[in-house]
Amino acid sequence: MTPSANHDLVLVGGGHSHALALRMLAMKPVPGVRITLVSPDALSAYSGMLPGLIAGHYSLTDTHVDLFRLCIATGTRFIRAAVTTICSAERRLTLDDGSTLEYDWLSLDVGATPDLQPVSGGHPDIVPVKPVASFHERWQQWRDGDSPLAVVGAGAGGTEMALAIAEHQRQTGRNGALSLISGGVLLPGYPEPVRRRMQRYLDDYNIQLREHTRVEKRDDGLYANDAPLDATRVLWCTGVRGTRVIADSDLDCDDKGFVRVQDTLQSRSDPRVFAAGDCAAFPESLPKAGVYAVRQAKVLAHNLTAAITGQPLQAYRPQKHFLSLLSAGGKQAVASRGGTLSAAGHWVWRWKNRIDQAFMDKFDSQLPTMSAPPPDPDVLHCAGCGAKVGSDALHDALRDLQPHISEGIEAGMDAADDAAIIHWAGNQRLVQSLDFFPAFIDEPFLFGRVAALHSLSDLYAMNATPHSALANVTLPWHHPKLQGRDLHRLMAGAVTELNAAGCTLVGGHTIEGPQMAAGFTVNGQADPQQLWHKGGARAGDRLLLTKPLGTGVQLAAMMQKDKLHGPWLDATLKHLLVSNRIAQHAMQDIPVHACTDVTGFGLLGHLHEICQQSDVAMAIDTDSIPMLPGTLPLIEKGVSSTLNEANRNVLMHCDTQQVAEPLLTLLCDPQTAGGLLFSIPEEALPRVLTQLREAGVNASEIGKVLVKNGDSSRDILLH
């Protein structure tokens, strides 16, 4: 049960300051405060290890904070989206999925964006390092090849990156010419001994250093000091600006688009807004370096708590001297502090590696166990009809929605009647279904989308066209202000999918409860001659499955922070948002003998239903069963859904002698928003697979239908 809350603290960006601050806030929760992290990326890069990733010393997961794991471990809501608009006057954010998010307190740690003004905003040959969070994906698309490569910017980041690229080329046998270009000198601000040592490393890799060189774009290409730049790949590591969303906001920003902050990290124009890391502009200009962001985290966590609870705030005092450890391509590094050279060599790299690994371990084996903040003692909760959400909150949450209006709706949400009135054509069939389940993720917009898609799936499985829907929503026990926000986001997500399906939201019912839950009664219309049923499968038919299995296992892993792996969960959530409408439309000219959607009973449970309704048997090729990334490794670690045990009752109807135990767990895994399961004539198979593929559905042939033999207790053969 989630403790009651009455304030929303929203953190935008998963940078170093926010990642560390979340750990601190989790270990000492603020009573009555709900925390939400918004980031477009599920993995957040640790800048100190990025050169090592490029050089091949580390893997992607070694060098990135798993924000899903961090948020679940710290009791933080995670919204994977980019903020497109900040309106501090109304305390509202607009996200790139079209939804809005309101807050009471806001913190920004969104980094910076490259300043490409010298090259007139960019060039096809240029790849910027910033934003760091998404750099690895850009690098993967661009790294291979032997054409000349230039790194522009010879500060610490650019020099480390040039050496890392050279090490990557050495390991992969590439021979492309590599140059490091500086508008001034190598490593400005560093002591001469450090510059000399790094110069030797550059020479060892045959990297050409070009100092006092300006790169600019002209009509016929890129130029360096008025001569054509001899490089077809350019990595831009110099100059940054504030992100567009901050520069265009109503916050006070400097001429580079960074948020002006006081020494308490509060915005100069709005004390309810904080900023840290590269996106903050301090009274005394600071270099854009991760060492400052790390130190700011403690002050940020303290001041967020203090501001919300009315306590004195601390001032952030940037360190005057800090240890600098520069990686030098191979497993070697240069150390300096306070203007003097300390050491260089392989042992310094090992020292740096221990420091970096210790930092990353804070977000792995040292993730904190969240202690729940005390509930608000002034909030009381009723049951029965008294548990309904107040009419004001309901009205505020729904007033801006614009649901699609189907023909024949006589009374819907606008009529405020006790029930919807629907005029139905006499020669059609009304297909109606209801689904309702607790939220598996504490993000209302995403959950609303999945709940709507899951409910609509029953209509698609019967080849019905969605017409109208009623919502049934349970909201957690929070302050009415927060309940209104949750309801608005949940219903906005649901309406997004209902509108896409041409389905009218005609009303619904809300209550309070210990956790968020939602479901929809959906109505559809269908030609009785075109309906699909579970009965009708014939011997010789081929079986097709349109989505991979494993959602039950993946969602169960969310409850175990040591098992959760963000990229696997991210892939799962993307599959949950794929509508079965796509597959249904692609099958309109195909003779479908039987169809169902794979949901709570698992694949075997739904196959058994078709066997019973059609009086057939089935042979399933278990090697062809599609599964979500990481599902079998999780099962092998003991992860499974609580419903899996009940679903395994179907195994008494299966011949399982040749099937390993982990695979049986997968076949009994309950699915949320699972795919469609078709039984189609064998001769239609090539055309079906082509049509589904062209529609973007990666369907798998998983078996065939057999004549039922005398042993009615074994109707599914697994091999």
Side-chain angles (χ1 to χ4, degrees), residues 423-483:
H423 176 74
W424 204 262
N427 61 345
Q428 292 288 295
R429 294 292 184 271
L430 168 65
V431 180
Q432 188 176 70
S433 182
L434 169 65
D435 266 300
F436 182 85
F437 52 88
F440 55 85
I441 194 167
D442 193 16
E443 206 291 77
F445 186 80
L446 174 62
F447 176 58
R449 291 182 64 188
V450 175
L453 288 170
H454 185 88
S455 299
L456 289 167
S457 184
D458 283 338
L459 300 185
Y460 299 136
M462 296 192 68
N463 200 27
T465 300
H467 178 274
S468 52
L470 287 163
N472 194 9
V473 176
T474 301
L475 295 173
W477 289 317
H478 290 313
H479 188 283
K481 171 183 64 179
L482 272 64
Q483 289 182 329

Side-chain angles (χ1 to χ4, degrees), residues 209-231:
L209 175 65
R210 300 179 61 180
E211 297 180 308
H212 306 291
T213 301
R214 175 180 173 80
V215 176
E216 60 184 354
K217 185 175 75 172
R218 299 181 182 176
D219 291 341
D220 56 344
L222 296 173
Y223 280 72
N225 283 359
D226 297 325
L229 179 62
D230 184 20

Side-chain angles (χ1 to χ4, degrees), residues 34-251:
R34 181 174 65 184
I35 304 177
T36 300
L37 176 67
V38 183
S39 171
D41 305 294
L43 295 176
S44 177
Y46 173 44
S47 58
M49 298 175 78
L50 191 60
L53 173 65
I54 301 305
H57 306 321
Y58 305 116
S59 69
L60 183 68
T61 53
D62 290 336
T63 59
H64 285 67
V65 176
D66 188 330
L67 294 181
F68 274 117
R69 282 193 68 195
L70 174 62
C71 288
I72 288 172
T74 58
T76 301
R77 282 187 167 184
F78 180 56
I79 299 177
R80 188 176 178 191
V83 174
T84 58
T85 306
I86 299 173
C87 181
S88 66
E90 297 181 2
R91 299 181 194 163
R92 179 181 294 121
L93 308 174
T94 303
L95 309 184
D96 61 355
D97 57 17
S99 68
T100 59
L101 181 66
E102 295 182 344
Y103 63 85
D104 299 298
W105 302 85
L106 179 68
S107 183
L108 304 170
D109 184 15
V110 296
T113 191
D115 185 359
L116 296 174
Q117 287 186 351
V119 286
S120 305
H123 185 275
D125 294 338
I126 292 176
V127 170
V129 171
K130 301 265 179 140
V132 171
S134 55
F135 169 68
H136 184 258
E137 181 179 352
R138 299 193 300 276
W139 164 253
Q140 290 288 100
Q141 299 169 353
W142 179 78
R143 66 181 183 177
D144 295 328
D146 291 324
S147 57
L149 188 153
V151 176
V152 178
T159 304
E160 286 185 299
M161 197 59 68
L163 289 163
I165 293 172
E167 176 65 14
H168 167 77
Q169 290 182 336
R170 185 191 68 78
Q171 292 183 14
T172 57
R174 308 271 176 200
N175 298 306
L178 182 59
S179 59
L180 176 63
I181 301 175
S182 173
V185 298
L186 175 68
L187 293 170
Y190 278 81
E192 185 61 28
V194 173
R195 297 176 59 219
R196 285 199 305 268
R197 185 59 191 165
M198 292 298 281
Q199 175 71 70
R200 286 198 290 271
Y201 284 124
L202 293 172
D203 293 342
D204 290 343
Y205 279 106
N206 294 317
I207 299 173
Q208 179 190 13
L209 175 65
R210 300 179 61 180
E211 297 180 308
H212 306 291
T213 301
R214 175 180 173 80
V215 176
E216 60 184 354
K217 185 175 75 172
R218 299 181 182 176
D219 291 341
D220 56 344
L222 296 173
Y223 280 72
N225 283 359
D226 297 325
L229 179 62
D230 184 20
T232 56
R233 297 175 295 161
V234 179
L235 191 64
W236 199 264
C237 299
T238 183
V240 291
R241 302 185 63 84
T243 61
R244 175 62 60 187
V245 65
I246 289 181
D248 290 346
S249 72
D250 56 353
L251 297 170

Side-chain angles (χ1 to χ4, degrees), residues 22 89 212 271 289 354 475 484 592 674 702:
L22 275 179
H212 306 291
R354 284 195 298 272
L475 295 173
V592 174
I702 64 169

Side-chain angles (χ1 to χ4, degrees), residues 247-383:
D248 290 346
S249 72
D250 56 353
L251 297 170
D252 180 19
C253 297
D254 67 7
D255 58 359
K256 287 279 191 178
F258 299 114
V259 181
R260 296 185 193 272
V261 295
Q262 305 175 49
D263 59 7
T264 57
L265 305 181
Q266 289 171 295
S267 162
R268 289 181 172 269
S269 59
D270 187 344
R272 285 180 171 262
V273 177
F274 291 72
D278 286 357
C279 70
F282 293 89
E284 296 181 5
S285 181
L286 286 180
K288 303 299 183 183
V291 292
Y292 294 111
V294 169
R295 291 288 185 91
Q296 289 162 19
K298 185 175 181 180
V299 176
L300 178 64
H302 175 274
N303 285 354
L304 286 170
T305 299
I308 294 170
T309 58
Q311 302 298 313
L313 276 64
Q314 295 178 353
Y316 165 66
R317 304 296 184 206
Q319 60 269 42
K320 292 183 179 179
H321 303 292
F322 56 85
L323 176 66
S324 174
L325 294 168
L326 299 177
S327 57
K331 292 184 177 181
Q332 50 205 0
V334 178
S336 67
R337 180 181 174 86
T340 60
L341 175 67
S342 297
H346 293 287
W347 76 267
V348 178
W349 185 89
R350 292 193 295 271
W351 180 24
K352 175 180 175 0
N353 180 57
R354 284 195 298 272
I355 293 173
D356 290 338
Q357 296 282 12
F359 178 86
M360 291 301 296
D361 201 43
K362 294 178 184 293
F363 308 100
D364 187 14
S365 63
Q366 294 183 30
L367 273 173
T369 300
M370 183 196 69
S371 16
D376 185 345
D378 296 327
V379 179
L380 299 177
H381 307 286
C382 300

